[in-house]
Amino acid sequence: MASTPVTVDHDDPKNPLLPVITDHPIQRPAESFQFSLQSILTPKNVFILLGPLLCAVICLCVKLDGPTSSRNMLAVLAWIFVWWMTEAVPMPITSMAPLFLFPLFGICSSDDVAHSYMDDVIALVLGSFILALAVEHYNIHRRLALNTTLIFCGDPVNPPLLLLGICGTTAFVSMWMHNVAAALLMMPVATGILQRFPTGSAQSPLVNKFCRAVVLGVIYSAAIGGISTLTGTGVNLILVGMWRSYFPEQNPISFNTWSFFAFPLALVIFFALWVILCCLYIRRGSSQALSAYLDRDHLKRELQLLGPMSFAEKVVLAVFSMLVVLWMTRRLTDDIPGWGALFNGRAGDGTVSVMMATLLFIIPNKKKPGEKLMDWNKCKKLPWNIILLLGAGFAIADGVKTSGLAEILSKALDFLEKAPYWGIAPAVCLISSLITEFMSNNATTTLVIPILIQIAKSMHVHPLLFMIPGSIGAQFSYLLPTSTPSNIVGFSTGHIEMVDMIKTGLPLKIVGIAVMSILMPTLGAYVFGTDRAI
């Protein structure tokens, strides 16, 4: 008698767990093995194995003229960057890899690695993210986004003009505060504009490309704007400090002197960025695609519907404005030290950021009795994955120095002694811009500048001919999310991928090096006198 297939409802708790006869053929052992092999040998699993395999190959086959820890550091870098580039392992998990890889490979202790995951810059990002969440919670970013869009969108919508307005505003803000702070301030404004567009499958390719262009424009404009003033980034201050320390008998680099050279440089690079973004991400038909969501009359009505600013909005803006002022005035110039001198340099940007964020948990919002502007439940959206990514970047920077790998890299700069006068600036700028992709901007400057000074002395040329391209090149960190914290701010929005950063950052880096190569022997010679030895 033929068996009849039995159908059992497994969701019914009254049904016993009886054997079920099905019509599906039974897999043979060979087929089962093939299926298991296919499920294991996926591209993602191959990339997972590639990381430790490449690390092992470097440890066994590569010999460096330095301590064993330097070779191990190179091997660990290969492991981590393979996982980062392929995203075989989630990026936040890969970001925690230094916590166990560095101690296991004898690079540094677990305590030293852990300290890299919480320093002043990370405190700056944490406090700024809390303030950004407050801005988002009270819809302040929506009000700012509507005003910015109304000013620059045009009628009909002009995507290049709107992009230019967002990027120009970011670059101007970055001239007067830290690059990360400028990116954190402007990113909610940019994403507030992008929130008007549909997401997912409903988003057209033209709109998707414009969203990518806006986020890329904000992070790169923040980096470019910081070049133009001494207070725009810590790299410029490190350069000025080292110049004063090594050459006290020479005239110090003043705020105006630096701006006279660096502002034209930054301006040319900024317009190059705008052209690159327009060529790569704004297509014919973008205006029509965006007009459906950015009609000027509709924007005006939405702005009117928001009504007057509430007490909570005004206070959050006041706290943010106070934070910006404190950032800008903590450290100014040699003649005007700023309020940070009152604390003997112990207070940093992160100190101010966390302090102002704390005020939000103290000041009432006047909406409900006892309710404050912020509470911890509103902070559940803090991007801890970005904090881990940022900490990994700092850990790698420290590991490169402590392992001795930095000294090996510095020896590779000896060939600059044979470079011609016109070839010095591009060579130095290229090397510095490559190193900064794997180390923080400040760490790259601190590492490279003393080496460049020694080479300049041996060549009997003006040290600033080496120092300025080295420091500005350290700010051309455009390729990787971990290159600088402002890149991470844009990467955290989810609008861009690493491919976008490489596609945009590579031509921008080339333009930056080319502009520096032209201006340093010409305008630099006029401003700094680099055409003569000291």
Side-chain angles (χ1 to χ4, degrees):
M1 183 175 179
S3 60
T4 303
V6 179
T7 303
V8 179
D9 185 4
H10 292 288
D11 294 331
D12 187 354
K14 296 180 181 179
N15 284 331
L17 296 177
L18 299 175
V20 180
I21 302 174
T22 65
D23 293 329
H24 298 294
I26 300 175
Q27 284 188 336
R28 297 176 181 176
E31 294 175 347
S32 178
F33 174 77
Q34 183 179 3
F35 176 78
S36 300
L37 192 62
Q38 290 176 349
S39 63
I40 293 174
L41 295 178
T42 60
K44 182 169 288 189
N45 287 340
V46 171
F47 287 130
I48 290 175
L49 293 174
L50 181 61
L53 181 63
L54 189 58
C55 176
V57 170
I58 293 175
C59 286
L60 295 174
C61 302
V62 175
K63 292 183 179 180
L64 297 178
D65 186 16
T68 306
S69 58
S70 62
R71 181 205 60 200
N72 293 348
M73 183 65 207
L74 184 63
V76 169
L77 277 179
W79 182 338
I80 293 174
F81 279 104
V82 164
W83 280 7
W84 264 342
M85 295 291 290
T86 61
E87 296 189 25
V89 177
M91 192 168 286
I93 302 301
T94 304
S95 300
M96 292 191 290
L99 289 168
F100 67 87
L101 289 178
F102 284 15
L104 291 179
F105 282 83
I107 296 169
C108 55
S109 68
S110 57
D111 285 339
D112 292 335
V113 183
H115 289 163
S116 300
Y117 285 78
M118 182 53 71
D119 69 354
D120 185 65
V121 175
I122 293 181
L124 163 72
V125 174
L126 269 175
S128 301
F129 267 130
I130 292 175
L131 281 161
L133 287 176
V135 168
E136 181 182 355
H137 176 74
Y138 292 103
N139 263 337
I140 299 173
H141 68 298
R142 181 174 175 78
R143 190 183 296 273
L144 292 172
L146 286 171
N147 279 290
T148 304
T149 309
L150 275 171
I151 294 172
F152 293 106
C153 72
D155 190 15
V157 176
N158 188 335
L161 179 62
L162 179 56
L163 180 63
L164 180 64
I166 297 171
C167 294
T169 305
T170 305
F172 177 78
V173 169
S174 183
M175 290 171 62
W176 313 105
M177 67 173 67
H178 197 282
N179 295 350
V180 184
L184 287 168
L185 177 67
M186 288 301 300
M187 195 58 71
V189 177
T191 53
I193 297 172
L194 303 186
Q195 285 174 0
R196 305 185 58 81
F197 306 136
T199 58
S201 59
Q203 189 178 75
S204 70
L206 294 175
V207 173
N208 179 269
K209 283 184 174 295
F210 181 76
C211 292
R212 293 171 187 265
V214 168
V215 174
L216 290 168
V218 169
I219 59 175
Y220 291 142
S221 298
I224 294 169
I227 295 174
S228 55
T229 62
L230 283 183
T231 56
T233 177
V235 170
N236 298 343
L237 295 172
I238 292 173
L239 169 68
V240 172
M242 287 191 175
W243 171 253
R244 183 183 56 195
S245 175
Y246 279 88
F247 305 97
E249 72 284 356
Q250 299 296 321
N251 292 328
I253 301 175
S254 66
F255 188 96
N256 292 333
T257 303
W258 178 262
S259 297
F260 190 79
F261 170 78
F263 182 77
L265 172 71
L267 193 63
V268 175
I269 299 175
F270 171 79
F271 279 109
L273 167 67
W274 179 61
V275 171
I276 291 170
L277 290 175
C278 289
C279 292
L280 291 178
Y281 293 100
I282 296 181
R283 296 284 187 267
R284 182 177 298 176
S286 296
S287 178
Q288 294 179 351
L290 299 178
S291 295
Y293 312 101
L294 296 175
D295 180 72
R296 286 183 66 87
D297 293 333
H298 184 61
L299 291 172
K300 290 179 181 178
R301 286 195 298 270
E302 285 196 24
L303 192 58
Q304 292 173 353
L305 289 174
L306 290 178
M309 294 184 66
S310 65
F311 171 81
E313 288 180 81
K314 293 178 181 177
V315 173
V316 170
L317 271 181
V319 171
F320 216 128
S321 302
M322 194 182 307
L323 174 61
V324 170
V325 171
L326 290 172
W327 273 337
M328 291 170 56
T329 58
R330 182 178 69 89
R331 185 178 178 183
L332 299 175
T333 62
D334 296 333
D335 299 328
I336 308 174
W339 62 263
L342 299 175
F343 301 93
N344 297 322
R346 289 190 293 268
D349 289 334
T351 307
V352 183
S353 181
V354 174
M355 181 182 71
M356 301 309 291
T358 304
L359 289 179
L360 300 179
F361 295 84
I362 299 174
I363 302 173
N365 62 9
K366 287 192 175 182
K367 288 188 175 182
K368 294 181 181 179
E371 190 174 71
K372 310 301 181 183
L373 289 170
M374 287 290 285
D375 58 57
W376 188 245
N377 287 328
K378 296 184 181 74
C379 296
K380 289 181 178 179
K381 294 195 295 182
L382 278 173
W384 295 107
N385 57 329
I386 304 304
I387 303 301
L388 291 173
L389 188 62
L390 184 58
F394 291 140
I396 288 173
D398 291 337
V400 168
K401 287 190 291 186
T402 58
S403 65
L405 184 60
E407 296 179 5
I408 295 174
L409 294 175
S410 66
K411 292 179 181 177
L413 300 178
D414 291 343
F415 71 92
L416 290 175
E417 295 183 6
K418 300 179 181 179
Y421 177 79
W422 282 86
I424 291 174
V428 172
C429 196
L430 174 63
I431 293 168
S432 183
S433 67
L434 291 176
I435 295 175
T436 194
E437 297 294 345
F438 307 100
M439 299 177 65
S440 69
N441 300 354
N442 293 346
T444 301
T445 308
T446 306
L447 168 69
V448 170
I449 294 299
I451 303 169
L452 297 176
I453 290 174
Q454 297 302 321
I455 297 175
K457 288 181 177 179
S458 65
M459 292 179 63
H460 303 288
V461 297
H462 201 291
L464 288 179
L465 187 63
F466 282 85
M467 296 172 66
I468 292 177
S471 60
I472 291 182
Q475 300 176 60
F476 293 163
S477 47
Y478 302 145
L479 299 182
L480 300 176
T482 55
S483 300
T484 180
S486 57
N487 288 3
I488 297 177
V489 172
F491 198 75
S492 66
T493 64
H495 286 286
I496 61 174
E497 300 173 355
M498 193 173 296
V499 175
D500 296 300
M501 297 192 66
I502 295 174
K503 186 166 62 174
T504 306
L506 186 59
L508 186 61
K509 188 189 286 280
I510 294 172
V511 169
I513 295 172
V515 175
M516 170 60 68
S517 304
I518 296 172
L519 289 186
M520 193 63 224
T522 53
L523 183 61
Y526 174 75
V527 176
F528 302 108
T530 55
D531 54 345
R532 60 183 183 274
I534 61 173

